[in-house]
Amino acid sequence: MITSKDNHTYKRWLKLLQKKYRQKEQLFLVEGEHLILEAKKAGVLVDVLLCEGIIFEVDAPVTYIKKALFEKLTTTVTSAGMMAVCAMKEAEIQKKNRLLLVDGVQDPGNLGTLIRSALAFGFDGLVVSEDTVDVYNEKVVRATQGALFNLPILRKHLMDYVSHLQQSGVSVFATALTNDAAKLGHVLPTESMAFIVGNEGTGVRASLIACCDECMVIDMMPQVESLNVGVAGSILMYQFNGLKGV
């Protein structure tokens, strides 16, 4: 039982609420039974942290923490009293038939939704820009509902990565509200495609759009100017999903 805020291990875990320490330690926190079990299945579970009085059986090292200290680790309003420390795995995208590129998305819920939808619709991986919200942010992790453990995710300079994809024979499409953008339903699927979705306020940056093979837009009623990036990205991933023929 950890009872002191000065406990070295506790202080180390507390630092994992900050991005720079997550990157330094290559560790991150998850909360709740479902995510703990998903982490266990993925082979990334390091330590299970339980609030005093909580009973949870799992084949992993378990540490009990005094309630007042445990509450400083949790970011949820109503905690289930169970968390885990997980290891970051080095990601590698094996196939490039369907990829989603994320340019400057800042809302953790949006990124979590995109990760979850990418896995659901058979995408081979996700590539996020350097200024996109941290993939291991606790709100992102929660929103993925475990999809994070089953989808390779890279952080890259997107201009360079788009060029790399094109040289590899992958067609790259940007989502953009421009007059010359092709309607989503008019774009024919090909074997290797990548799609870029952009920042909630400004969309995909112009310099990146200029590098793409084509722009596309989702058909909508005129009363609606645009869609939430999590919704828009999910629609286009369903439209060009990698599940057809499976």
Side-chain angles (χ1 to χ4, degrees), residues 175-181 209 216-218 220 225-227:
T175 54
L177 297 172
T178 57
N179 293 330
D180 60 344
I209 290 175
M216 60 170 58
V217 64
I218 298 172
M220 294 180 289
E225 183 180 338
S226 64
L227 291 172

PDB file of all heavy atoms in Angstrom, residues 175-181 209 216-218 220 225-227:
ATOM      1  N   THR A 175      -9.009  16.209 -47.371  1.00  0.00           N
ATOM      2  CA  THR A 175     -10.373  16.712 -47.222  1.00  0.00           C
ATOM      3  C   THR A 175     -10.313  18.244 -47.218  1.00  0.00           C
ATOM      4  O   THR A 175      -9.508  18.832 -46.491  1.00  0.00           O
ATOM      5  CB  THR A 175     -10.998  16.216 -45.914  1.00  0.00           C
ATOM      6  OG1 THR A 175     -10.138  16.556 -44.820  1.00  0.00           O
ATOM      7  CG2 THR A 175     -11.167  14.707 -45.940  1.00  0.00           C
ATOM      8  N   ALA A 176     -11.135  18.864 -48.041  1.00  0.00           N
ATOM      9  CA  ALA A 176     -11.093  20.330 -48.142  1.00  0.00           C
ATOM     10  C   ALA A 176     -12.422  20.864 -48.655  1.00  0.00           C
ATOM     11  O   ALA A 176     -13.046  20.271 -49.541  1.00  0.00           O
ATOM     12  CB  ALA A 176      -9.971  20.768 -49.080  1.00  0.00           C
ATOM     13  N   LEU A 177     -12.855  22.002 -48.092  1.00  0.00           N
ATOM     14  CA  LEU A 177     -14.106  22.637 -48.523  1.00  0.00           C
ATOM     15  C   LEU A 177     -13.807  23.625 -49.649  1.00  0.00           C
ATOM     16  O   LEU A 177     -13.982  24.827 -49.523  1.00  0.00           O
ATOM     17  CB  LEU A 177     -14.767  23.343 -47.340  1.00  0.00           C
ATOM     18  CG  LEU A 177     -15.203  22.444 -46.181  1.00  0.00           C
ATOM     19  CD1 LEU A 177     -15.658  23.279 -44.986  1.00  0.00           C
ATOM     20  CD2 LEU A 177     -16.323  21.509 -46.631  1.00  0.00           C
ATOM     21  N   THR A 178     -13.352  23.107 -50.771  1.00  0.00           N
ATOM     22  CA  THR A 178     -13.018  23.952 -51.921  1.00  0.00           C
ATOM     23  C   THR A 178     -13.932  23.605 -53.085  1.00  0.00           C
ATOM     24  O   THR A 178     -14.471  22.498 -53.174  1.00  0.00           O
ATOM     25  CB  THR A 178     -11.556  23.742 -52.342  1.00  0.00           C
ATOM     26  OG1 THR A 178     -11.343  22.350 -52.639  1.00  0.00           O
ATOM     27  CG2 THR A 178     -10.603  24.160 -51.230  1.00  0.00           C
ATOM     28  N   ASN A 179     -14.092  24.556 -53.993  1.00  0.00           N
ATOM     29  CA  ASN A 179     -15.002  24.370 -55.124  1.00  0.00           C
ATOM     30  C   ASN A 179     -14.559  23.267 -56.069  1.00  0.00           C
ATOM     31  O   ASN A 179     -15.376  22.646 -56.755  1.00  0.00           O
ATOM     32  CB  ASN A 179     -15.156  25.685 -55.903  1.00  0.00           C
ATOM     33  CG  ASN A 179     -15.876  26.753 -55.085  1.00  0.00           C
ATOM     34  OD1 ASN A 179     -16.718  26.431 -54.243  1.00  0.00           O
ATOM     35  ND2 ASN A 179     -15.533  28.020 -55.322  1.00  0.00           N
ATOM     36  N   ASP A 180     -13.245  23.033 -56.137  1.00  0.00           N
ATOM     37  CA  ASP A 180     -12.742  22.025 -57.069  1.00  0.00           C
ATOM     38  C   ASP A 180     -12.590  20.645 -56.423  1.00  0.00           C
ATOM     39  O   ASP A 180     -12.110  19.709 -57.057  1.00  0.00           O
ATOM     40  CB  ASP A 180     -11.398  22.465 -57.660  1.00  0.00           C
ATOM     41  CG  ASP A 180     -10.338  22.677 -56.584  1.00  0.00           C
ATOM     42  OD1 ASP A 180     -10.700  22.791 -55.395  1.00  0.00           O
ATOM     43  OD2 ASP A 180      -9.143  22.716 -56.944  1.00  0.00           O
ATOM     44  N   ALA A 181     -13.011  20.503 -55.172  1.00  0.00           N
ATOM     45  CA  ALA A 181     -12.888  19.208 -54.493  1.00  0.00           C
ATOM     46  C   ALA A 181     -13.896  18.212 -55.063  1.00  0.00           C
ATOM     47  O   ALA A 181     -15.053  18.552 -55.342  1.00  0.00           O
ATOM     48  CB  ALA A 181     -13.117  19.372 -52.991  1.00  0.00           C
ATOM     49  N   ILE A 209      -2.261  20.416 -48.635  1.00  0.00           N
ATOM     50  CA  ILE A 209      -3.243  20.202 -49.702  1.00  0.00           C
ATOM     51  C   ILE A 209      -2.563  20.266 -51.067  1.00  0.00           C
ATOM     52  O   ILE A 209      -2.844  19.475 -51.972  1.00  0.00           O
ATOM     53  CB  ILE A 209      -4.376  21.244 -49.618  1.00  0.00           C
ATOM     54  CG1 ILE A 209      -5.256  20.966 -48.389  1.00  0.00           C
ATOM     55  CG2 ILE A 209      -5.228  21.238 -50.885  1.00  0.00           C
ATOM     56  CD1 ILE A 209      -6.323  22.011 -48.140  1.00  0.00           C
ATOM     57  N   MET A 216     -11.085  16.069 -51.665  1.00  0.00           N
ATOM     58  CA  MET A 216     -12.442  15.526 -51.658  1.00  0.00           C
ATOM     59  C   MET A 216     -13.274  16.213 -50.588  1.00  0.00           C
ATOM     60  O   MET A 216     -12.746  16.749 -49.612  1.00  0.00           O
ATOM     61  CB  MET A 216     -12.432  14.016 -51.447  1.00  0.00           C
ATOM     62  CG  MET A 216     -11.815  13.556 -50.158  1.00  0.00           C
ATOM     63  SD  MET A 216     -12.097  11.781 -49.851  1.00  0.00           S
ATOM     64  CE  MET A 216     -11.382  11.060 -51.289  1.00  0.00           C
ATOM     65  N   VAL A 217     -14.578  16.190 -50.798  1.00  0.00           N
ATOM     66  CA  VAL A 217     -15.506  16.816 -49.869  1.00  0.00           C
ATOM     67  C   VAL A 217     -16.717  15.910 -49.698  1.00  0.00           C
ATOM     68  O   VAL A 217     -17.125  15.210 -50.636  1.00  0.00           O
ATOM     69  CB  VAL A 217     -15.933  18.218 -50.377  1.00  0.00           C
ATOM     70  CG1 VAL A 217     -16.709  18.118 -51.693  1.00  0.00           C
ATOM     71  CG2 VAL A 217     -16.736  18.960 -49.319  1.00  0.00           C
ATOM     72  N   ILE A 218     -17.290  15.892 -48.503  1.00  0.00           N
ATOM     73  CA  ILE A 218     -18.477  15.083 -48.222  1.00  0.00           C
ATOM     74  C   ILE A 218     -19.727  15.864 -48.606  1.00  0.00           C
ATOM     75  O   ILE A 218     -19.880  17.022 -48.227  1.00  0.00           O
ATOM     76  CB  ILE A 218     -18.524  14.707 -46.729  1.00  0.00           C
ATOM     77  CG1 ILE A 218     -17.304  13.851 -46.365  1.00  0.00           C
ATOM     78  CG2 ILE A 218     -19.811  13.955 -46.382  1.00  0.00           C
ATOM     79  CD1 ILE A 218     -17.153  13.582 -44.873  1.00  0.00           C
ATOM     80  N   MET A 220     -23.223  17.395 -48.388  1.00  0.00           N
ATOM     81  CA  MET A 220     -24.038  17.763 -47.222  1.00  0.00           C
ATOM     82  C   MET A 220     -25.151  18.713 -47.640  1.00  0.00           C
ATOM     83  O   MET A 220     -25.075  19.343 -48.702  1.00  0.00           O
ATOM     84  CB  MET A 220     -23.166  18.443 -46.157  1.00  0.00           C
ATOM     85  CG  MET A 220     -22.131  17.563 -45.522  1.00  0.00           C
ATOM     86  SD  MET A 220     -21.163  18.451 -44.275  1.00  0.00           S
ATOM     87  CE  MET A 220     -20.186  19.547 -45.307  1.00  0.00           C
ATOM     88  N   GLU A 225     -22.395  23.770 -42.821  1.00  0.00           N
ATOM     89  CA  GLU A 225     -21.150  24.212 -43.451  1.00  0.00           C
ATOM     90  C   GLU A 225     -20.060  23.139 -43.398  1.00  0.00           C
ATOM     91  O   GLU A 225     -19.328  22.933 -44.363  1.00  0.00           O
ATOM     92  CB  GLU A 225     -20.640  25.477 -42.757  1.00  0.00           C
ATOM     93  CG  GLU A 225     -19.384  26.055 -43.398  1.00  0.00           C
ATOM     94  CD  GLU A 225     -18.913  27.314 -42.689  1.00  0.00           C
ATOM     95  OE1 GLU A 225     -19.734  27.966 -42.007  1.00  0.00           O
ATOM     96  OE2 GLU A 225     -17.730  27.639 -42.820  1.00  0.00           O
ATOM     97  N   SER A 226     -19.957  22.463 -42.261  1.00  0.00           N
ATOM     98  CA  SER A 226     -18.908  21.449 -42.122  1.00  0.00           C
ATOM     99  C   SER A 226     -19.285  20.460 -41.028  1.00  0.00           C
ATOM    100  O   SER A 226     -20.231  20.683 -40.279  1.00  0.00           O
ATOM    101  CB  SER A 226     -17.563  22.103 -41.796  1.00  0.00           C
ATOM    102  OG  SER A 226     -17.628  22.755 -40.530  1.00  0.00           O
ATOM    103  N   LEU A 227     -18.510  19.368 -40.956  1.00  0.00           N
ATOM    104  CA  LEU A 227     -18.739  18.348 -39.946  1.00  0.00           C
ATOM    105  C   LEU A 227     -17.576  18.313 -38.960  1.00  0.00           C
ATOM    106  O   LEU A 227     -16.447  18.686 -39.295  1.00  0.00           O
ATOM    107  CB  LEU A 227     -18.863  16.967 -40.605  1.00  0.00           C
ATOM    108  CG  LEU A 227     -20.097  16.710 -41.463  1.00  0.00           C
ATOM    109  CD1 LEU A 227     -19.957  15.368 -42.182  1.00  0.00           C
ATOM    110  CD2 LEU A 227     -21.365  16.727 -40.624  1.00  0.00           C
TER     111      LEU A 227
END
